[in-house]
Amino acid sequence: MLRHWPLLVAALLPCLVLAGIGWWVWPQQPTGRAPHVAAGTVQAQLLGADSVSRLAGTTVVAGPQSDRPHAPLDVAPSECAVAAGPTTEAVYGQAWKAFLSATYQDSAGTGGYTVNQVFGVFPEAEKAGAAFRTLTEGLAKCPSATVAGQAGRSSKWVYTARPSTEVAVAWTAAQEGSAGWACYHQAWVKGTSLVQVSVCQAGDGEATSWKVADELTKKVTG
């Protein structure tokens, strides 16, 4: 098994963006210009690497951040754009006033374990609620999808959503033929914010996603 581990890692790395966490395709904030995210808001609500490590029971380090949602993914069928890219413009649109996506990954830097936190702050609660409904309705209409990747590669994902409430939804995105690789998602709408957490690993990350989600929700103020 250990002899095949490098091959498994190489197969999984291109798939991370397809799960919606987007830490490769989302550009990092370039230097020389002010960030789009309002200073002192969403950044202050982010859980640090030490906190996430404690909740996950493994050491993670800070990875890329983005100050805007990525464009919708290339997916078939097209109505699965939300399920395939829950943190993209397919859900958050362009009406947000502040946005932050931050990814932590395993300390070895292999991409074999990632935790993603996403904040989208809207001008008013109604718009945050509309984005949340877009998310839940998109999940409901897409049990599986094929997502186009880099270098012409594609992958098939199966989406399993839990019953949603008016303010929260949880779901799993599992990649077919990938030795158990899956992303465990949580999303809530709170005030003017739509917040998401995902834990991606080759194993069961649901418990960790709940722990991170619970801790993060306590910090969201708007």
Side-chain angles (χ1 to χ4, degrees), residues 152-178:
R153 297 177 180 176
S154 62
S155 56
K156 186 172 182 179
W157 294 81
V158 176
Y159 306 102
T160 305
R162 313 293 186 270
S164 64
T165 69
E166 292 184 356
V167 297
V169 65
W171 72 101
T172 303
Q175 186 185 9
E176 289 191 350
S178 62

